[in-house]
Amino acid sequence: MNEMMNKRESIIAEANRLRWELGENFHDTLMQNIYEHATEIEKKAVKYPDAKEVFSFDRTLDKILTSKFLGFPIMFLMLGVVFWLTIQGANYPSGLLSNLLVDTIHPALKTFALNFDLPWWLSGVLIDGAYLAMAWVVSVMLPPMAIFFPLYTLLEDFGYLPRVAFNLDPLYKKVGAHGRQALTMAMGFGCNAAGVIATRVIDSPRERLIAIITNNFSLCNGRWPTQILIATVFIGSAVPAYLAGIVSAAAVVFIALLGIAFSLIVSWFLSRTLLKGEASAFSLELPPYRPPRIFQTLYTSLIDRTIFVLWRAVVFAIPAGMLIWLVANVSIDGISIANHFIQYVNPIAFVFGLNGVIFLAYIIAIPANEIVIPTILMLTVANLGIQGVGAGSGVMFELESASDVATILQSGGWTLLTAINLMLFSLLHNPCSTTIFTIYKETKSWKWTLVSTFLPIAMGLTVTFFVTQIWRLLTN
Amino acid sequence: MNEAMLLLFIGILFLLFIAILFYPEKGLLEIFKKSRYANQKVLLEDALKFLYDCEYNNIPCTLNSIAGNLNISADTAAEIVSKLQNMGLLNANRDFLLLTSEGKSYALRIIRVHRLYEKFLADETSMNEKEWHKAAEEVEHKLSDEEVNKLAAQIGNPVFDPHGDPIPTSKGEIPEKAGKHLNEMEPGEMATIIHIEDEPHTIYSQIVAEGLYAGMQVRMIESNEKRVKFEANGEECILSPLIAKSITVGPIKLEKPVEGKLKTLSSLKVGEKGIVLGIAKSLRGQQRRRLMDLGIVPGTEIEAELESISGDPVAYRVRGTTVALRKNQSEKIYLVKEEEKN
């Protein structure tokens, strides 16, 4: 036995000695040999059909898509078309779903609850809270995602998107990121959670983390309506009527561009500080162009992206809906929790040019940015005790006319400054809970999840704080 | 002063405070961390390491040289030496200091952690190579044996650190010193750089700035008291003898010697083809593995296919696929152009 052990020890010692003699390069040599063998075998065994023509078509297309004059115009055109199709195409089905889930089924459920004598609090929590939040999320989230994701996947499948990354890479290289971050950012305009999942295409660990943390700065589908509504109501009405449309649209575009600028600045900052030491390896494959497989694309993007994201959103919306209803309806000393909170936080929020309602709405409407405005409206009405608007305490609602929204918000003390700050804060705040959960799933790290959650909040508070102080200095 | 002005002022002060606290390297938080790290144990271990280095390189070691190397006063150095003696790690003769066998194995353990960690930083992170040494200096005093072995296993039990130094095994074995200093080479002689000394930092960063690294092939042109002139991978390079002393060279192994200046992949124009000769040593770890995974190994045919709008990155055709590489990578891949091959 002892002899065996000695023998083993001496073999290990000999092996160690030989490893030193082998030098550092043996891994490389090994790899080279493997490739040489593989090439030999390939030469004997594989015959290629005459594929020259396809290849030259690829080259011509590549030359056009990455050319100095046509490269960027084609890119902006393509993205413009995708966004236009998404926004225009989603309007109708969204209205339809909202009609069905919010305007038809919700009252039906209420009647049903009345008939069965359900206690008011139970029907409140379940129907006005959980069901309504879920219905809202589904009706506003599903149609744009069901259009945007397949379009994006088609472009990806065809092989165009890697060329976009190729063209934009110099910009991203400057800020220490990967060209493919352009694609994940574009995906983020549809949905940040999907954008975070899309970062899987970035195979370098450091650049992938950068893309995950900064994805939230892409103004997602759930925040566009907020921006458009607030810009129309407050910024559009602050300028002469004939300019209203242009100015409010410009304000929204400005916010979106500001988001892109922030994502580049934060990428630059992260790659030089927090993420300086993380491993990095760049390579960008340009796959051959392929005719897109339409049905397969539709199927996979619906299952992999749309349903997946929607399911996570619904899972988070249900408890949040209950919470929203509860804070508006549970009272301590005759005042609801929501009103306690709003009164308590108002002075702090004032420093940031916002108000307690907005803070509370951003906390309890964390599952989806889509329900922030309905929550704000509900809380404002409940807080001021306005009668005849909305469907009761704790029930989220939306209004058809923008001027009604303006009336409610103005009676809640909103000014042009509040509106601007809300638009900024809507861009710069924590990602929705679905995205936060997805970030955790993708990074498997609490540290990076917390950074991506709190960094945007800190930035949002800083920006709104300084905007507010400077605004007040100038207007006083 | 009105309220907005006051708040604005407070806000700016707050941002300044955050910046001072968290500023990388010079921030209060970093300074606090560093001050905690400079303690007695660290000094003792650094002294051991230095003593071992002296013995390995056959240089006599004195109290003064310890004080100089660790940047401490002669009194403190004497204190440390007597402590090491009491611990049974050091024998002090009249003239010079010698480590006991316990002292040697202790020193080797520290050196093992240091070199392993440098290897880890080189391969698994993108930390700048000038910063490896400093980071390893801190970590070497902190890791337990178990953590070290885990780290070694994680990076595949390497036997050399990125400077070309052998890494002691967990049992404290290390091969005999090999090679000679660069300035000892004869004109016309060819050799491979096997080691670049990373201390002192000022000299090391000059060598790094010249683009020299372990594994490069050198051909001596002239070496005298004033200057050392040589070719490294075909590019002419002049160093002072003092600096050249920090570079150790050994006989050429494995690769064929390279004559003349090498072409790089970045010099290929669109449509031109080349045969890969090798990837520079300075592309390490993940980056190197990625390139090799893509099939960029010696003998592979590669063609520049497409330039992006600004000319960087460039897409190359390798083994039937098209891959875009950035310039900072393609200028580290050596090749011969197709028309020059025959």
Side-chain angles (χ1 to χ4, degrees):
Chain A
M1 195 62 195
N2 232 344
E3 203 180 323
M4 282 278 282
M5 289 292 276
N6 282 340
K7 214 171 180 181
R8 207 183 73 177
E9 289 300 308
S10 69
I11 290 174
I12 291 173
E14 178 69 5
N16 276 335
R17 195 183 59 74
L18 287 174
R19 283 188 73 193
W20 270 312
E21 268 180 29
L22 208 51
E24 281 179 283
N25 292 336
F26 78 96
H27 281 121
D28 288 14
T29 320
L30 194 67
M31 195 112 173
Q32 188 186 341
N33 287 341
I34 291 172
Y35 267 107
E36 271 168 19
H37 280 296
T39 314
E40 260 172 48
I41 295 168
E42 182 227 10
K43 266 183 196 154
K44 280 183 207 155
V46 185
K47 282 206 180 84
Y48 289 96
D50 221 7
K52 280 230 160 107
E53 262 170 47
V54 183
F55 186 58
S56 71
F57 164 75
D58 272 24
R59 282 206 170 174
T60 325
L61 199 53
D62 265 341
K63 288 261 146 65
I64 296 168
L65 291 179
T66 62
S67 72
K68 280 199 171 64
F69 302 106
L70 288 173
F72 287 127
I74 292 177
M75 187 184 84
F76 289 123
L77 192 75
M78 291 275 215
L79 286 179
V81 168
V82 168
F83 283 123
W84 185 79
L85 281 176
T86 307
I87 292 167
Q88 286 300 314
N91 262 341
Y92 181 68
S94 254
L96 222 58
L97 269 176
S98 166
N99 240 328
L100 178 72
L101 295 175
V102 179
D103 299 339
T104 314
I105 296 187
H106 180 240
L109 281 174
K110 291 294 278 185
T111 327
F112 180 78
L114 267 181
N115 288 342
F116 276 78
D117 269 341
L118 277 186
W120 69 276
W121 55 268
L122 190 62
S123 82
V125 166
L126 290 181
I127 301 170
D128 293 336
Y131 170 76
L132 194 59
M134 185 196 79
W136 215 293
V137 166
V138 170
S139 65
V140 288
M141 232 174 166
L142 180 59
M145 288 203 307
I147 296 171
F148 181 79
F149 290 159
L151 286 177
Y152 182 93
T153 317
L154 280 177
L155 283 180
E156 197 177 33
D157 220 30
F158 172 61
Y160 178 62
L161 291 186
R163 271 77 184 175
V164 172
F166 182 62
N167 279 337
L168 288 176
D169 186 64
L171 179 65
Y172 286 89
K173 187 186 170 190
K174 277 197 190 109
V175 298
H178 193 293
R180 285 205 183 113
Q181 192 172 323
L183 310 183
T184 63
M185 269 173 68
M187 188 55 127
F189 282 114
C191 168
N192 293 134
V196 169
I197 296 175
T199 60
R200 286 179 190 169
V201 298
I202 300 174
D203 38 19
S204 174
R206 176 172 72 166
E207 281 75 1
R208 176 153 185 239
L209 270 176
I210 292 177
I212 288 177
I213 296 172
T214 58
N215 196 274
N216 185 42
F217 298 115
S218 290
L219 200 61
C220 74
N221 190 32
R223 289 181 275 175
W224 284 100
T226 308
Q227 300 283 353
I228 294 169
L229 178 71
I230 299 298
T232 322
V233 168
F234 285 94
I235 296 180
S237 62
V239 294
Y242 67 95
L243 285 174
I246 293 265
V247 171
S248 51
V252 176
V253 171
F254 173 77
I255 293 285
L257 293 177
L258 194 67
I260 295 176
F262 269 118
S263 84
L264 292 175
I265 293 168
V266 172
S267 300
W268 180 87
F269 171 80
L270 286 174
S271 67
R272 270 155 191 79
T273 54
L274 282 180
L275 290 170
K276 201 170 157 194
E278 298 285 327
S280 151
F282 177 86
S283 75
L284 177 63
E285 274 126 281
L286 300 178
Y289 293 100
R290 274 186 296 250
R293 295 155 298 179
I294 298 197
F295 287 105
Q296 199 172 343
T297 304
L298 276 177
Y299 178 78
T300 51
S301 63
L302 275 179
I303 298 298
D304 285 359
R305 286 176 173 155
T306 314
I307 299 298
F308 180 75
V309 171
L310 194 69
W311 171 244
R312 279 189 183 173
V314 165
V315 167
F316 283 108
I318 290 172
M322 292 180 178
L323 189 67
I324 291 171
W325 189 85
L326 286 172
V327 295
N329 283 286
V330 176
S331 300
I332 300 170
D333 297 338
I335 304 169
S336 70
I337 296 179
N339 285 350
H340 273 298
F341 180 90
I342 292 166
Q343 264 162 30
Y344 187 71
V345 170
N346 256 334
I348 304 169
F350 178 78
V351 176
F352 298 99
L354 297 164
N355 58 43
V357 170
I358 298 175
F359 273 13
L360 181 58
Y362 270 103
I363 294 171
I364 56 181
I366 191 175
N369 282 293
E370 284 89 343
I371 57 175
V372 165
I373 286 291
T375 309
I376 286 178
L377 288 175
M378 181 273 284
L379 287 174
T380 310
V381 168
N383 188 35
L384 299 174
I386 299 174
Q387 296 296 319
V389 189
S393 184
V395 188
M396 297 180 292
F397 64 91
E398 245 175 358
L399 294 166
E400 289 295 320
S401 108
S403 65
D404 289 351
V405 174
T407 320
I408 288 184
L409 292 181
Q410 269 155 0
S411 52
W414 285 50
T415 59
L416 183 55
L417 175 65
T418 323
I420 292 173
N421 278 332
L422 179 77
M423 287 173 79
L424 288 168
F425 196 68
S426 158
L427 174 71
L428 301 169
H429 73 92
N430 57 289
C432 65
S433 54
T434 312
T435 308
I436 296 176
F437 180 64
T438 309
I439 291 174
Y440 178 70
K441 280 271 182 189
E442 294 296 311
T443 59
K444 292 267 178 274
S445 141
W446 283 109
K447 183 183 167 194
W448 298 125
T449 310
L450 290 176
V451 167
S452 9
T453 307
F454 289 101
L455 182 74
I457 299 183
M459 289 173 63
L461 291 179
T462 312
V463 169
T464 51
F465 176 83
F466 282 102
V467 166
T468 305
Q469 305 320 322
I470 291 169
W471 178 282
R472 284 181 186 152
L473 261 188
L474 295 179
T475 51
N476 262 359
Chain B
M1 205 195 275
N2 68 28
E3 199 191 63
M5 191 69 137
L6 186 70
L7 278 171
L8 196 61
F9 190 63
I10 292 174
I12 291 171
L13 272 187
F14 180 72
L15 284 188
L16 269 178
F17 172 72
I18 295 279
I20 291 171
L21 202 61
F22 291 106
Y23 200 85
E25 289 184 28
K26 287 174 198 134
L28 289 179
L29 212 66
E30 284 292 311
I31 290 174
F32 175 69
K33 261 195 209 159
K34 263 181 217 154
S35 69
R36 258 190 26 180
Y37 138 84
N39 58 30
Q40 191 90 53
K41 180 181 174 234
V42 172
L43 277 180
L44 287 176
E45 292 184 348
D46 282 346
L48 274 178
K49 236 175 31 167
F50 176 68
L51 283 160
Y52 180 84
D53 256 2
C54 289
E55 282 181 31
Y56 193 71
N57 292 317
N58 292 320
I59 307 167
C61 184
T62 63
L63 266 183
N64 281 336
S65 59
I66 292 182
N69 183 270
L70 300 188
N71 208 1
I72 50 176
S73 71
D75 285 349
T76 325
E79 203 179 293
I80 282 172
V81 165
S82 73
K83 261 215 179 107
L84 288 173
Q85 264 176 294
N86 288 340
M87 291 161 84
L89 301 173
L90 186 66
N91 278 329
N93 284 2
R94 181 175 280 239
D95 301 322
F96 54 91
L97 306 159
L98 264 186
L99 289 172
T100 63
S101 62
E102 285 88 35
K104 253 183 208 160
S105 69
Y106 195 143
L108 277 171
R109 207 187 74 79
I110 306 293
I111 291 172
R112 173 172 157 83
V113 185
H114 183 98
R115 293 185 179 166
L116 268 176
Y117 198 68
E118 282 194 345
K119 179 75 176 166
F120 165 75
L121 292 177
D123 278 6
E124 305 295 325
T125 73
S126 50
M127 191 183 258
N128 191 300
E129 72 181 293
K130 290 178 188 166
E131 292 164 23
W132 297 338
H133 184 71
K134 220 178 90 204
E137 284 284 292
E138 281 181 33
V139 167
E140 67 189 11
H141 307 293
K142 287 181 194 155
L143 293 188
S144 71
D145 279 348
E146 209 174 290
E147 286 168 321
V148 175
N149 290 337
K150 218 171 128 192
L151 178 73
Q154 186 198 333
I155 55 177
N157 290 310
V159 286
F160 289 98
D161 79 354
H163 308 291
D165 287 327
I167 299 173
T169 63
S170 54
K171 293 212 174 61
E173 291 150 346
I174 196 164
E176 296 282 311
K177 182 180 151 65
K180 55 183 175 182
H181 295 310
L182 178 67
N183 52 342
E184 292 162 359
M185 281 171 71
E186 301 292 327
E189 192 183 338
M190 297 192 59
T192 310
I193 297 181
I194 54 174
H195 168 62
I196 296 174
E197 183 54 49
D198 55 5
E199 265 188 327
H201 186 73
T202 43
I203 290 187
Y204 179 62
S205 50
Q206 280 187 58
I207 296 173
V208 170
E210 286 285 338
L212 301 173
Y213 51 83
M216 257 186 157
Q217 292 189 1
V218 290
R219 193 169 66 85
M220 184 53 64
I221 298 171
E222 108 179 74
S223 172
N224 54 37
E225 278 149 36
K226 284 198 188 110
R227 60 179 197 166
V228 179
K229 191 172 161 190
F230 59 98
E231 266 180 7
N233 278 15
E235 235 164 314
E236 206 173 274
C237 203
I238 297 174
L239 292 177
S240 76
L242 182 73
I243 293 176
K245 232 177 154 170
S246 287
I247 300 174
T248 313
V249 294
I252 290 177
K253 269 197 280 189
L254 288 170
E255 297 134 298
K256 292 161 228 138
V258 177
E259 296 274 349
K261 188 169 158 45
L262 288 169
K263 292 256 163 30
T264 61
L265 183 57
S266 58
S267 70
L268 280 191
K269 296 202 174 54
V270 170
E272 284 183 336
K273 284 182 188 173
I275 306 283
V276 175
L277 282 179
I279 304 172
K281 272 277 156 50
S282 52
L283 278 180
R284 297 187 174 83
Q286 286 216 12
Q287 292 200 52
R288 190 179 189 83
R289 288 200 290 273
R290 168 68 41 74
L291 290 174
M292 298 191 91
D293 288 345
L294 290 168
I296 304 179
V297 293
T300 305
E301 189 185 83
I302 191 164
E303 178 186 354
E305 187 177 310
L306 194 67
E307 245 179 24
S308 74
I309 292 177
S310 67
D312 178 28
V314 175
Y316 298 95
R317 192 142 187 97
V318 188
R319 296 181 188 268
T321 53
T322 308
V323 182
L325 298 177
R326 285 179 179 170
K327 196 162 179 235
N328 55 11
Q329 296 168 301
S330 62
E331 65 191 9
K332 285 178 185 156
I333 297 170
Y334 300 114
L335 46 68
V336 277
K337 284 191 187 171
E338 186 91 298
E339 72 266 24
E340 291 165 14
K341 192 179 59 175
N342 303 319

